[in-house]
Amino acid sequence: MWGDGGVASKRGKLKNVSAPIVAVIGGGQLARMMQESATALGIHLRVLVESDQAATAQVVPDAPVGAATDEVAITRLVQGANVLTFEHEHVPGDFLRQLARKLPVEPHPDALVYAQNKLKMRQKMAQIGVPNPRWAQVEGAADLEKFAEQVGWSLVLKTPTGGYDGKGVLLAHSFAECQPWLQRISEDGGVLLAEEAVPFTSEIAVLLARRPSGEIAVWPVAQTIQENGVCAVVHAPAPNLDTELAAKAQEIGKKIAKELRVTGVMAVEMFVTDTGVVVNELAMRPHNSGHWTIEGSVTSQFEQHLRAVLDLPLGDTRAVSPACTMVNLLGSEYEEPRVQYAKALAVPAAKIHYYGKSVRPGRKLGHVTVVGEDFAKTEANARKVVNILKGNAK
Amino acid sequence: MWGDGGVASKRGKLKNVSAPIVAVIGGGQLARMMQESATALGIHLRVLVESDQAATAQVVPDAPVGAATDEVAITRLVQGANVLTFEHEHVPGDFLRQLARKLPVEPHPDALVYAQNKLKMRQKMAQIGVPNPRWAQVEGAADLEKFAEQVGWSLVLKTPTGGYDGKGVLLAHSFAECQPWLQRISEDGGVLLAEEAVPFTSEIAVLLARRPSGEIAVWPVAQTIQENGVCAVVHAPAPNLDTELAAKAQEIGKKIAKELRVTGVMAVEMFVTDTGVVVNELAMRPHNSGHWTIEGSVTSQFEQHLRAVLDLPLGDTRAVSPACTMVNLLGSEYEEPRVQYAKALAVPAAKIHYYGKSVRPGRKLGHVTVVGEDFAKTEANARKVVNILKGNAK
């Protein structure tokens, strides 16, 4: 089924392994966590890592070093692989289109483009009838002024490509604040995406997976809480979310997956407003808003992504408990979370995930998940552990 | 806390990782599953593997090849490690005693000897007042005849060291059947352990972990079902087990852990009889009877073993659901379970674990766990998946 299973590795050919080979571009925490599921399922991961210090390089034996834009390295990476997939969107679409004639590339570059380019995403959402915030393509000052007249200030400016974790996004309160961004596109010939600042009551994420053959499995909707533009806390299933609205959000997610022919895991971040939901962002890969599924669901997003990109039957997406909270461990001024490790482990039922990364302020270094019966307790415990790890605990 | 964290690996020194380093002897499925937990916790595993095809070698970058008796390889393995531990008992006690002066060896060879030598184990259980079956040390025919007069036929003969999975164990129905075993010890000067064939109503396993500093955490008692001398099915928490008896079994486990100064995970296999429980076997490492804890408990035995040998606080051992069943995938005449993989994954909620091993009849190739509300369903689903993988499904 998976070919002869000869697996090239640093230590030569592993002859006895007839495991499916999943090639992955990107060696951060997402590929690292994929490896935990790959190990359980007997799937061989081969990961193109940014450096031999990368989070994934520490735990995957078959981890060649190369940039995500390095066509020679990617060509070598997919030799004998059953499928190519990604842990981030910063991959060259045209080259992937060529590769997709030789092996399955999941998600296909024709789908992935909507996660790579936020302007194309807005156009596509409008076309398939999925609720967007008001938005405009901005090629210069005139476009922006016109849009500001419609939506008023504040508004949100985004670079269509390359942003993540709040980078490439500006919440602008005046035209003056937008000047440097307008200056930049007038110099480099780019365009911007302008969006209304949606007056949301909460933010949610619809996480799902879709196989090439069409099967879709959607997890319970999660609530996401951003701090400084970065995902800080996730509750699942989203507390206090109207059941009908949750179902509607899931339907929107499924519609996007189907219409865009998404494969693998997709996260759709949405704003909840007084009148319904609108789509904020798309990611076509395991996503921070889905880390809760490792302990909180029967099937984790990492296992599901591997199943989906290999076109294998999808796993059960039920939540295993009424309440699950995930809190990110972001790098603080405090240099070495490791010294607080023993203290943090003493908090009952907290599951600590460390990504093996060096500490920088604001960097995602790990996360903590607590599964339980009520969110007050799961959040308190998860925050407590993160505070201990950050050196902030009393 | 963990030293400078310079980690030697196949690809040179990983400078940014200040992870604790756990050195492990043995590269089978147990060390492989330890790696999943090590990855999550940010622990660096360095594993001495039997070959570069070993189950663990496929998923651990830092996996030197060497025999468990190779003192040079072990000396190299522990360079810079925070602790040395094991995934099997077939390790040289005298050499480990020397090593234990240089770094923590968990469990300490003085404890491990009771898992290595069944005769010493029986003596020790008797000494600390833990219920044994009737037993005798057999140095020749006279000893055996005398013991058979006491307990009658059938009885069980065991080689004190080196056995596992039913190997080194003979259920003998007559003196004649024992002759080859008596012959062997008369030639090589060894001794045998004879035990009564306990008329048990069921078999259970008490799984626990103990830290060097004394903390003990015990999981709910599991029921084990052996087929052909090999663990086939595990139910947890043990269905239909009297609550008082379960508590008594846990107390016995804790007593053994404390008196023997066990560190890391220990499994105590026991027979349930009409009058109580008696100890069958001890293992001082993660054990097949504890695989259910990966999905079935808040803390898996693999995570707990790492925490325990590093003397870190132990995790929550509660069961996450009323019923959890694990069924082993043993190698069948059928050559390639992998071709049935997609079909097996279509069974809802079944968690498949593959060890990456080549197929041989009877060999442990993987296991399947189902968590649910009642054992009839969890067992039926787990067995169904294993039958599909074995090519036995209709």
Side-chain angles (χ1 to χ4, degrees), chain A residues 1-2 10-11 13-20 32 35-36 38-44 52-53 57-63 298-300 303 307 312-314 316 318 320 336 338-339 341-343 345-346 348-354 356-358, chain B residues 1-2 10-11 13-20 32 35-36 38-44 52-53 57-63 298-300 303 307 312-314 316 318 320 336 338-339 341-343 345-346 348-354 356-358:
Chain A
M1 178 176 197
W2 305 109
K10 297 240 148 57
R11 50 175 86 80
K13 209 161 159 77
L14 298 179
K15 287 185 206 70
N16 286 343
V17 188
S18 76
R32 181 182 168 110
Q35 170 71 346
E36 296 171 41
T39 298
L41 287 174
I43 290 168
H44 180 100
D52 63 8
Q53 316 289 315
Q58 298 164 31
V59 300
V60 171
D62 193 4
V298 176
T299 308
S300 87
E303 174 174 344
R307 293 164 77 136
L312 292 167
L314 300 177
D316 189 337
R318 272 175 305 167
V320 300
E336 186 45 284
R338 173 84 45 202
V339 300
Y341 193 65
K343 215 172 145 191
L345 284 167
K351 305 301 287 184
I352 297 178
H353 298 257
Y354 250 124
K357 291 155 86 173
S358 54
Chain B
M1 180 181 195
W2 305 111
K10 296 242 143 73
R11 50 177 84 81
K13 210 159 158 79
L14 298 178
K15 286 187 205 68
N16 286 343
V17 189
S18 77
R32 181 181 168 112
Q35 170 70 347
E36 297 171 40
T39 298
L41 287 174
I43 290 168
H44 180 97
D52 62 9
Q53 316 289 314
Q58 297 162 31
V59 299
V60 171
D62 193 3
V298 176
T299 308
S300 87
E303 173 173 345
R307 292 164 79 136
L312 291 167
L314 300 178
D316 189 336
R318 272 175 305 167
V320 299
E336 186 46 284
R338 172 88 39 208
V339 300
Y341 193 64
K343 214 172 145 192
L345 284 168
K351 306 300 288 183
I352 297 179
H353 297 257
Y354 250 124
K357 291 155 86 173
S358 54

Side-chain angles (χ1 to χ4, degrees), chain A residues 59-253:
Chain A
V59 300
V60 171
D62 193 4
V65 174
T69 50
D70 181 340
E71 299 186 2
V72 175
I74 295 172
T75 303
R76 206 177 294 135
L77 186 81
V78 301
Q79 288 296 323
N82 297 89
V83 61
L84 172 65
T85 188
F86 321 96
E87 64 134 37
H88 61 68
E89 293 86 4
H90 313 300
V91 286
D94 288 340
F95 177 62
L96 293 182
R97 253 176 220 98
Q98 290 174 38
L99 274 185
R101 287 184 218 119
K102 294 180 199 160
L103 88 163
V105 175
E106 311 294 353
H108 190 278
D110 293 344
L112 190 62
V113 69
Y114 301 109
Q116 293 173 314
N117 188 311
K118 290 170 185 174
L119 205 45
K120 289 191 180 166
M121 185 271 278
R122 285 291 170 227
Q123 288 157 350
K124 189 72 180 178
M125 294 304 104
Q127 184 197 322
I128 66 174
V130 158
N132 272 329
R134 285 177 291 174
W135 64 280
Q137 178 169 328
V138 171
E139 292 176 19
D143 292 338
L144 183 61
E145 277 165 359
K146 190 176 152 198
F147 183 65
E149 275 168 32
Q150 282 174 45
V151 303
W153 298 95
S154 308
L155 57 73
V156 179
L157 273 191
K158 294 181 176 179
T159 54
T161 61
Y164 69 99
D165 280 354
K167 292 170 188 74
V169 176
L170 175 71
L171 174 61
H173 304 86
S174 69
F175 188 86
E177 275 187 77
C178 301
Q179 286 287 16
W181 287 53
L182 292 169
Q183 182 69 27
R184 205 170 55 227
I185 60 165
S186 88
E187 281 165 11
D188 68 11
V191 295
L192 295 171
L193 169 64
E195 296 176 356
E196 68 174 315
V198 175
F200 61 82
T201 54
S202 69
E203 292 181 83
I204 59 174
V206 173
L207 191 76
L208 59 78
R210 182 177 174 273
R211 293 169 62 182
S213 55
E215 185 191 1
I216 294 178
V218 57
W219 280 271
V221 177
Q223 181 189 1
T224 61
I225 300 168
Q226 320 287 320
E227 291 169 9
N228 306 315
V230 180
C231 175
V233 176
V234 175
H235 297 301
N240 309 319
L241 183 65
D242 176 77
T243 316
E244 264 179 55
L245 198 64
K248 196 183 165 186
Q250 288 179 316
E251 284 313 308
I252 290 170

